[in-house]
Amino acid sequence: MRFANSQSLFRRAAAVIPGGIYGHTTPAATIPGSVPYFAASGSGCRYTDVDGNTFIDFMGGYGPMILGYHHPEVEAAATAARQLGAAFNHPTSLLVELAEKLTQRIDFADWSVFAKNGADLTNWSLMVAREVTQRPKILKIRGAYHGTAAWCTPGHGGLIPSDRADILEFPFNDIPALEALFNFHRNQVAGLILTPFHHPAFADSVLPTPEFVAACNRLCRDHGALQILDDVRCGFRLSADGSHSVFGYTPDLAVYCKALANGHPLSACVGRTPHKAAASRVFLTGSYWGDPAPMAAALATLDIIARDNIPARLTALGERFVTGFLALGEKHHTPLVASGPPAMPYVRVADDPSFLRTQALCAAAIAQGVFLHPHHNWFISAAMTEADIADALARLDRALASLRP
Amino acid sequence: MRFANSQSLFRRAAAVIPGGIYGHTTPAATIPGSVPYFAASGSGCRYTDVDGNTFIDFMGGYGPMILGYHHPEVEAAATAARQLGAAFNHPTSLLVELAEKLTQRIDFADWSVFAKNGADLTNWSLMVAREVTQRPKILKIRGAYHGTAAWCTPGHGGLIPSDRADILEFPFNDIPALEALFNFHRNQVAGLILTPFHHPAFADSVLPTPEFVAACNRLCRDHGALQILDDVRCGFRLSADGSHSVFGYTPDLAVYCKALANGHPLSACVGRTPHKAAASRVFLTGSYWGDPAPMAAALATLDIIARDNIPARLTALGERFVTGFLALGEKHHTPLVASGPPAMPYVRVADDPSFLRTQALCAAAIAQGVFLHPHHNWFISAAMTEADIADALARLDRALASLRP
């Protein structure tokens, strides 16, 4: 498999873009030299890079493509809305329909707002929690990703001390640490923000213990702090009505994004009636946020997710994939470790603290036409069939064989 | 002119959205009861609301629709790119082409990055300035709009003291105030952020004095601070190569957004080679930022803006419109005051500190099918013809007549 065009384009990119490719799609975060750097087109659960290599895609654009590239119903809805126009002086009726849809779908949701990035609304949710409580401090999980704003970016550049003066971190699933923070900062905590399960980069995924979920619910309630569920990555993949229902969280605010509109740029934050007036006092806007096409895509995507029970489908496909992958690891004497829910699995080589063997495995998978990320959870696509999973496993069998000394 | 469907939809919206409609398109910011609340479709320089009323549009979605709704070349380019796919695991070659285009087009630009919202990159530009200088403080114009992040939002809800601990404000065009801030906070100022001209809401627009521009250039250079031009609203409307060239600014970073892709969600920040390494250290990413369709739209839009000399066209149309409007004010004994460049004019009733007479004028204009905003600068559309301007002026003649006691 050759990546000559990717590498040539990257040299052009490096001349006119800091780092060549920035953010989560930078080759530096994957396996430079062994991965494509630029995509050309996608269809269903496969995409083709600029060298003509085609991959069975287990990343789906890092989450958005839950139904696969070019889902005909979603694209038809988005295209019809695009015919109406783009940025107007007013929203369209799709804003109302989508807010109604989310409040009907999500049990605790009484209202909704929409933006483009997940981070637009994780940032806003902190301000809403502060406006509701008139308190400054936010509790957050160490290593959790909520965007690239200064209060939460995983990067190190450009930060100043005041950025995180009121952000307090603790480890996922650590009830005593959470309890200690609430007690030490009594009447100062505006909110707790967390993802439904912990899916850090460069580490295994961790599901919440039932005791941790109960503690989050109890402590937020007892201390009068808002529970903010960052469901950007998981939302509508684990359950058609939001991931809180899977684990038993009782959020006050929840943010959705990636799977919401099958690749069209849209995010949503939902909340409860007691916080609606405060939410209306936290100014929120963007030039393109009324754009009807992504809202039409979201209405179609949400309907399909419920109609076709997509979360169950993703789970079944993911279980088949992970089980098969682990069995192949045993066959080839390369012990593998799986973590995360089957719909969003992560598999790495055991006893691999440097990730070098996991990188080699993913590079071999990519060489066989299966796109896997060595340091980030994966995403099963509803466009996959059992035959696609079997195809992927057959390729991974060859990939594992190629790794033998 | 009836707004029954708008008002009915707004009642539904208010049930499921804080404030009903939030942000810059909220009716509360215009003239509740006298304006449409929801758009249905647009074409060229006109749009139709959900009651079937059609308007000659002097807002263009608050800026994005520089070439008008459904510009055929832009939409053809975006649609072709959309066929390739949306959110991929990698950018497409359009990222490189667009970065090359901007660095060729904008004289001081050596590199570029892209996001969705203008605010994604005004926020990031502050972090880049801090990373370059290893200093915390940012100078900003009082009343300037740079987004809804806590450091700059015009809203009042959800703020805590640490949000603006390192933000220092001064009045536009006030050289002594700017000089005093630089001197008082010597070796502490990372950057100065400002818009090319001052276009606050609820006030006249103010062009920079040549002395103020020279002082911004000199003081940033002498104090080793970055000059950040927020060209989100003006960029590519006043000049095809960025608004700094119109006024003589020498920015280190400039942010573009609204007119960049004729309504498709995209923003850009450009900068200089000495800051490129620092920029690469400030993490920046979003789920949809590699989406090829808006980049294809931007390439087409930028080509058309240069090919058809759109800024000159907007200026000529705007001059014709403003001159005609002022003459109508004289004719009807309603003295009007115009401010801002002709391509982005703002006209209000003279001696109207409460804006009540200006609101009445805009309501009358809307009743005659001309959409004007009473408290925000307007945007001339390149889709307008001289006949459209004449049509708008004929309607404004009737609007002014209807205002007579």
Side-chain angles (χ1 to χ4, degrees):
Chain A
M1 192 165 281
R2 292 177 69 255
F3 301 112
N5 291 338
S6 265
Q7 289 166 6
S8 165
L9 264 173
F10 188 80
R11 282 189 290 274
R12 282 172 57 193
V16 290
I17 298 172
I21 300 173
Y22 49 92
H24 64 286
T25 62
T26 178
T30 56
I31 320 158
S34 300
V35 296
Y37 300 166
F38 291 90
S41 65
S43 179
C45 66
R46 287 175 173 76
Y47 76 95
T48 302
D49 72 10
V50 288
D51 288 280
N53 307 306
T54 295
F55 303 93
I56 305 175
D57 184 10
F58 283 86
M59 288 304 289
Y62 291 71
M65 308 309 304
I66 183 171
L67 304 177
Y69 300 100
H70 284 296
H71 190 280
E73 290 170 84
V74 175
E75 292 311 301
T79 300
R82 174 66 69 207
Q83 303 303 322
L84 304 177
F88 284 114
N89 299 336
H90 323 284
T92 70
S93 60
L94 293 168
L95 170 79
V96 184
E97 290 177 40
L98 186 55
E100 289 173 344
K101 171 84 70 182
L102 287 181
T103 54
Q104 287 155 10
R105 174 76 59 91
I106 300 165
D107 54 4
F108 73 91
D110 299 317
W111 54 259
S112 182
V113 296
F114 302 94
K116 296 278 100 169
N117 307 307
D120 296 333
L121 294 174
T122 56
N123 297 341
W124 182 73
S125 71
L126 267 55
M127 296 175 72
V128 172
R130 288 166 172 163
E131 179 67 13
V132 167
T133 61
Q134 297 293 308
R135 301 172 179 173
K137 296 203 183 293
I138 299 291
L139 309 187
K140 129 179 215 305
I141 305 292
R142 186 167 300 136
Y145 182 77
H146 301 294
T148 63
W151 69 268
C152 62
T153 178
H156 300 289
L159 299 179
I160 59 172
S162 61
D163 290 330
R164 300 186 181 185
D166 292 290
I167 305 292
L168 305 164
E169 294 196 326
F170 69 102
F172 193 75
N173 268 342
D174 189 336
I175 299 171
L178 175 61
E179 201 147 21
L181 284 175
F182 266 118
N183 286 330
F184 190 80
H185 300 280
R186 193 170 287 273
N187 298 324
Q188 290 295 304
V189 177
L192 160 67
I193 186 167
L194 79 173
T195 54
F197 73 92
H198 193 42
H199 41 58
F202 289 94
D204 291 343
S205 292
V206 183
L207 299 183
T209 65
E211 295 75 18
F212 179 68
V213 175
C216 290
N217 294 343
R218 174 177 54 81
L219 290 165
C220 283
R221 191 177 59 239
D222 289 354
H223 288 269
L226 272 67
Q227 185 186 111
I228 306 165
L229 198 69
D230 177 348
D231 214 359
V232 165
R233 198 182 296 184
C234 307
F236 311 119
R237 292 189 164 271
L238 307 182
S239 165
D241 62 354
S243 310
H244 66 289
S245 65
V246 176
F247 300 106
Y249 293 103
T250 55
D252 295 293
L253 302 170
V255 181
Y256 305 97
C257 179
K258 285 179 184 275
L260 181 58
N262 203 49
H264 292 265
L266 191 69
S267 57
C269 180
V270 304
R272 298 176 186 265
T273 294
H275 308 134
K276 193 177 176 193
S280 75
R281 294 194 298 270
V282 182
F283 193 56
L284 175 73
T285 206
S287 297
Y288 309 114
W289 293 5
D291 188 352
M295 293 188 182
L299 284 163
T301 301
L302 289 168
D303 280 350
I304 293 164
I305 286 171
R307 180 193 73 196
D308 297 348
N309 201 352
I310 295 296
R313 176 177 175 78
L314 298 178
T315 297
L317 289 166
E319 280 173 350
R320 178 179 288 253
F321 176 67
V322 172
T323 304
F325 199 1
L326 294 181
L328 289 172
E330 284 191 35
K331 170 183 166 188
H332 290 281
H333 307 292
T334 303
L336 302 176
V337 174
S339 60
M344 302 169 63
Y346 173 60
V347 179
R348 64 170 172 85
V349 179
D351 300 323
D352 184 31
S354 68
F355 288 89
L356 287 174
R357 296 175 69 205
T358 303
Q359 289 173 5
L361 172 59
C362 290
I366 287 167
Q368 295 292 337
V370 178
F371 192 84
L372 301 178
H373 197 299
H375 324 119
H376 189 292
N377 77 270
W378 308 336
F379 299 89
I380 304 294
S381 164
M384 291 173 175
T385 62
E386 298 187 356
D388 292 317
I389 298 293
D391 184 358
L393 290 172
R395 292 164 183 268
L396 291 175
D397 194 2
R398 295 198 291 276
L400 281 157
S402 75
L403 285 182
R404 289 199 192 163
Chain B
M1 191 166 279
R2 292 178 70 255
F3 301 111
N5 290 338
S6 265
Q7 289 166 5
S8 164
L9 264 174
F10 188 80
R11 282 190 289 275
R12 281 172 57 192
V16 290
I17 298 172
I21 300 174
Y22 48 93
H24 64 285
T25 62
T26 178
T30 56
I31 319 156
S34 300
V35 295
Y37 299 166
F38 291 89
S41 64
S43 179
C45 66
R46 286 174 172 78
Y47 77 96
T48 301
D49 72 10
V50 289
D51 287 281
N53 306 305
T54 296
F55 304 92
I56 305 175
D57 183 10
F58 283 85
M59 288 304 289
Y62 291 70
M65 308 310 303
I66 183 172
L67 304 178
Y69 299 101
H70 285 296
H71 190 279
E73 290 171 82
V74 175
E75 292 311 302
T79 300
R82 174 65 70 207
Q83 302 303 321
L84 304 177
F88 285 114
N89 299 336
H90 324 284
T92 70
S93 60
L94 293 168
L95 171 79
V96 184
E97 289 176 42
L98 186 55
E100 288 173 344
K101 171 84 70 184
L102 287 180
T103 54
Q104 286 155 12
R105 174 75 60 90
I106 300 165
D107 55 3
F108 74 92
D110 299 317
W111 54 260
S112 182
V113 297
F114 303 94
K116 295 278 100 169
N117 307 307
D120 296 333
L121 295 174
T122 56
N123 297 342
W124 182 73
S125 72
L126 267 56
M127 296 175 73
V128 172
R130 287 166 173 162
E131 179 67 12
V132 167
T133 60
Q134 296 293 309
R135 301 171 180 174
K137 298 205 183 291
I138 298 291
L139 309 187
K140 132 180 211 304
I141 304 293
R142 186 167 300 135
Y145 182 77
H146 301 294
T148 62
W151 70 268
C152 62
T153 177
H156 300 289
L159 298 179
I160 59 172
S162 60
D163 289 330
R164 300 186 180 186
D166 292 289
I167 305 291
L168 306 164
E169 294 196 325
F170 69 104
F172 194 74
N173 268 341
D174 188 335
I175 300 171
L178 175 62
E179 202 146 21
L181 284 175
F182 266 117
N183 286 330
F184 190 80
H185 299 280
R186 193 170 286 272
N187 298 324
Q188 290 296 303
V189 176
L192 160 67
I193 185 166
L194 78 174
T195 55
F197 73 93
H198 193 43
H199 40 58
F202 289 94
D204 290 344
S205 293
V206 183
L207 300 183
T209 65
E211 295 76 18
F212 179 68
V213 174
C216 290
N217 294 343
R218 174 176 55 81
L219 290 164
C220 283
R221 190 178 60 239
D222 289 354
H223 287 269
L226 272 67
Q227 184 186 112
I228 306 165
L229 197 69
D230 177 347
D231 213 359
V232 164
R233 199 182 295 183
C234 307
F236 311 119
R237 292 189 164 271
L238 307 181
S239 165
D241 62 354
S243 310
H244 66 289
S245 65
V246 176
F247 301 106
Y249 293 104
T250 55
D252 296 293
L253 303 171
V255 181
Y256 305 97
C257 179
K258 286 180 184 275
L260 181 58
N262 203 51
H264 292 264
L266 190 70
S267 57
C269 180
V270 305
R272 296 175 186 265
T273 295
H275 309 134
K276 193 176 175 192
S280 75
R281 294 194 297 270
V282 182
F283 193 56
L284 175 73
T285 206
S287 295
Y288 310 113
W289 293 5
D291 189 351
M295 294 188 182
L299 285 163
T301 301
L302 289 168
D303 280 350
I304 293 164
I305 286 172
R307 180 193 73 196
D308 297 348
N309 201 352
I310 295 297
R313 176 177 176 77
L314 298 178
T315 296
L317 289 166
E319 280 173 351
R320 176 179 288 252
F321 176 66
V322 172
T323 304
F325 199 0
L326 294 181
L328 289 172
E330 284 191 32
K331 170 182 166 188
H332 291 280
H333 308 292
T334 303
L336 302 175
V337 174
S339 60
M344 303 169 62
Y346 173 60
V347 179
R348 64 169 173 85
V349 179
D351 300 323
D352 184 31
S354 69
F355 288 89
L356 287 174
R357 296 175 69 205
T358 303
Q359 289 173 5
L361 172 58
C362 290
I366 288 166
Q368 295 293 336
V370 178
F371 192 84
L372 301 179
H373 196 298
H375 323 119
H376 188 292
N377 76 271
W378 309 335
F379 299 89
I380 303 295
S381 165
M384 291 173 175
T385 62
E386 297 187 354
D388 293 317
I389 298 292
D391 184 358
L393 289 172
R395 292 165 183 268
L396 291 174
D397 195 2
R398 295 198 290 277
L400 281 157
S402 75
L403 286 182
R404 289 200 191 161

